[in-house]
Amino acid sequence: MPGVSDGKMDSLDTHLEQFKLSNHANQTALQGLLKDHSQLLDNYKSLKKAYEAQVANNGVTLEPVQKPRTPYVLVLIDGNGYIFNDEFIRDKEEGGMRAARMLNVAVDDYLRDAIPGARDARVIVRIYADLTNLSRLLAKSKLVGLEKRSLAPFTAGFTRAINHFDFIDALDEEGTKFKIRETFKLAGEDTACTHILYAGCHDTSYLPQMVPYSGMTSKITLVQGAGFNSEFHQFSLNVTQFPTLFRWSELPSTARSVRLSISDTTEPTSSPRKNQTSKQHIYTPPALRNATQWGHDTDPMFSASETFAEGINESGGTNGSWEHKADTKQKTSQTPCRFFQKGFCRFGNSCSYQHIPSSVGVPQQTTNGHGTERKISKSLPSNIAPGFIPINKDSQRIDVLFTPPTQAEWQFYNARFQRQKPCNSYYLQKACTRFNCPYDHSPLEPEALRTLEYLLKCSPCPRRGSCRAAECIYGHLCQKDDCFGEAKGCRMRPELHNVDPNLASLVPAEDDLVHDATPESLIDAW
């Protein structure tokens, strides 16, 4: 075995001593670090104890720091009063899913346009309803089956379609109101709820909870629907509508009262009391009823107003006085005067018939030969949302109820007509393209204008039920009660007397759609 030299041994001794010194320095440093850490920990404990003692002495309660919550918008709907349109209900699950998607789009559009601060928040929809009773009402309208909860497939589809969209069965009406009130209260106090779209404005029992939020347009928007109660306007909140989603008319069995037509602005009428039906009696002038022909040498576009005035002259009346021709089959003193019941009798107290108010309830005899009554004025809607067209279940356009002119309005129109015949296009379509038009373009009295509008509503629209023009001046069905197309002077085609007058849905109007008002188009339409 070879030996180790002395030089190498000295070198190893030197390295060993250096390692010992280095190790001792590391140990010393480690001890210093441990001592400093222990001192720092003791200082922390002392400071914490002193802080807690100070907090306890000052009565300050420490609360844990909470993570900011995600903002949301609540759409709160009373499903007993806000019912989806028929086309959604009929399609069951598919209809429910489609309704949820369309509601989501409609809410997003509204938030983007009206509430910029809430457009980035997530949308939560809560619909509460008495599913059993609602299914029964819809079954009467033949929209769902006869099962106890036949609406359940629709509500299940709605709930499944989108996260945070729920259609909940609240068992009964009281349960629905309880859930609506509590959910509204919770969302109103929640700072994470940036806005509430409130669809419960059909029931006055919800009024008290709205009082603290009067004028808070940044927090609450009211949703208008069927049976909207005007008392909710007192809170000065924004109002929006979703007419393509919710019915704009109440179900037949839930209708509360017949509302006055907003088009009758010439005579002030007192609003009916609650639960009291306000009947509207349509008065048809004899000249319009007795006219047997509408053919004239004049432009058919203007024949409606011309023929009416000529019929007045032929009957012997002047300046709005109508000739009272008694029915020879009913000349008895006990027979009620049908002209008086419809609004006006020129003979007054000297009339040989009894002047019994229509409110007494004397049934009018039906002379149409059909053996049935046609009370269309009770079925037509009294008003609709601007920018929409009312349609029935057959997708045919119907009209808003247009009450006949009063006696004073007929007199205004007749007097104006005697001076010069008014131009229909100029007054009703806001433009006249006829070169050197021979008809009157001077300012027209409101009473005469309304009468002119009524006369055009008695003329059929060339497109009939398929019309979607925003400002169509013609009629799309006959609005006269007990008229089956056989009455003298009725210009509506027979098929326009068979149109279902019940409102089923609303569709957007087509603003760019303009009728061809030339004589040829009107002649073809007739």
Side-chain angles (χ1 to χ4, degrees), residues 175-465:
T176 301
K177 293 181 180 179
F178 172 77
K179 297 293 290 185
I180 292 289
R181 292 192 188 100
E182 293 301 316
T183 305
F184 180 84
K185 180 180 178 181
L186 180 64
E189 297 173 351
D190 190 357
T191 56
C193 180
T194 58
H195 203 76
I196 301 175
L197 284 166
Y198 186 76
C201 304
H202 64 292
D203 196 331
T204 55
S205 64
Y206 293 131
L207 287 171
Q209 68 181 9
M210 304 296 298
V211 173
Y213 302 95
S214 180
M216 296 181 61
T217 56
S218 61
K219 183 68 175 182
I220 298 179
T221 295
L222 303 179
V223 179
Q224 188 173 9
F228 183 88
N229 194 294
S230 59
E231 293 187 35
F232 282 87
H233 287 304
Q234 65 181 296
F235 302 114
S236 302
L237 297 172
N238 294 330
V239 179
T240 187
Q241 311 97 7
F242 301 127
T244 57
L245 287 163
F246 298 106
R247 293 177 62 96
W248 201 249
S249 63
E250 298 174 292
L251 291 174
S253 56
T254 61
R256 292 172 175 82
S257 62
V258 179
R259 291 168 175 78
L260 296 177
S261 173
I262 60 173
S263 61
D264 190 5
T265 59
T266 58
E267 290 187 354
T269 56
S270 58
S271 59
R273 293 174 296 178
K274 294 181 181 178
N275 300 325
Q276 179 180 1
T277 302
S278 175
K279 297 183 180 179
Q280 299 182 9
H281 301 281
I282 296 183
Y283 170 68
T284 305
L288 193 58
R289 289 196 303 269
N290 296 334
T292 57
Q293 294 182 351
W294 294 90
H296 291 268
D297 296 332
T298 55
D299 190 337
M301 175 64 189
F302 308 90
S303 60
S305 55
E306 295 170 14
T307 307
F308 176 73
E310 293 171 6
I312 295 175
N313 295 332
E314 292 172 358
S315 64
T318 58
N319 293 333
S321 60
W322 318 115
E323 181 181 1
H324 187 291
K325 296 183 179 180
D327 190 344
T328 57
K329 296 182 181 180
Q330 300 180 4
K331 277 192 175 181
T332 61
S333 60
Q334 300 298 325
T335 304
C337 176
R338 55 194 177 99
F339 294 97
F340 178 81
Q341 290 192 345
K342 291 182 177 181
F344 172 70
C345 176
R346 67 181 290 263
F347 289 95
N349 295 331
S350 62
C351 179
S352 59
Y353 298 100
Q354 287 189 353
H355 283 188
I356 301 176
S358 58
S359 58
V360 175
V362 178
Q364 299 181 9
Q365 298 184 8
T366 303
T367 60
N368 51 51
H370 291 261
T372 59
E373 292 185 348
R374 181 178 180 268
K375 300 300 182 184
I376 192 171
S377 61
K378 296 182 179 180
S379 303
L380 290 176
S382 59
N383 60 80
I384 59 171
F388 292 90
I389 300 297
I391 61 174
N392 59 17
K393 59 181 178 57
D394 302 317
S395 297
Q396 296 174 311
R397 177 170 182 169
I398 59 178
D399 296 317
V400 174
L401 182 62
F402 198 105
T403 56
T406 63
Q407 175 191 358
E409 289 171 336
W410 284 117
Q411 291 175 347
F412 266 101
Y413 179 80
N414 188 39
R416 181 59 179 270
F417 187 88
Q418 296 300 325
R419 295 199 304 268
Q420 188 178 5
K421 301 173 183 178
C423 176
N424 295 351
S425 297
Y426 179 79
Y427 293 116
L428 301 182
Q429 293 182 326
K430 309 304 179 184
C432 177
T433 58
R434 188 183 182 119
F435 177 73
N436 197 19
C437 180
Y439 299 101
D440 188 11
H441 288 189
S442 61
L444 192 65
E445 299 85 354
E447 295 83 356
L449 177 61
R450 185 175 181 278
T451 305
L452 183 62
E453 292 174 345
Y454 173 76
L455 290 172
L456 267 294
K457 286 298 180 184
C458 293
S459 301
C461 173
R463 290 188 173 89
R464 301 181 182 87

Side-chain angles (χ1 to χ4, degrees), residues 29-39:
L30 178 60
Q31 293 299 323
L33 290 175
L34 292 175
K35 184 178 180 180
D36 293 341
H37 176 265
S38 178
Q39 184 65 34

Side-chain angles (χ1 to χ4, degrees), residues 69-74 111 118-124 164 194:
R69 298 178 57 191
T70 304
Y72 67 92
V73 172
L74 175 65
L111 295 177
R119 59 187 177 186
D120 296 329
R122 63 179 178 179
V123 177
I124 297 178
H164 309 299
T194 58

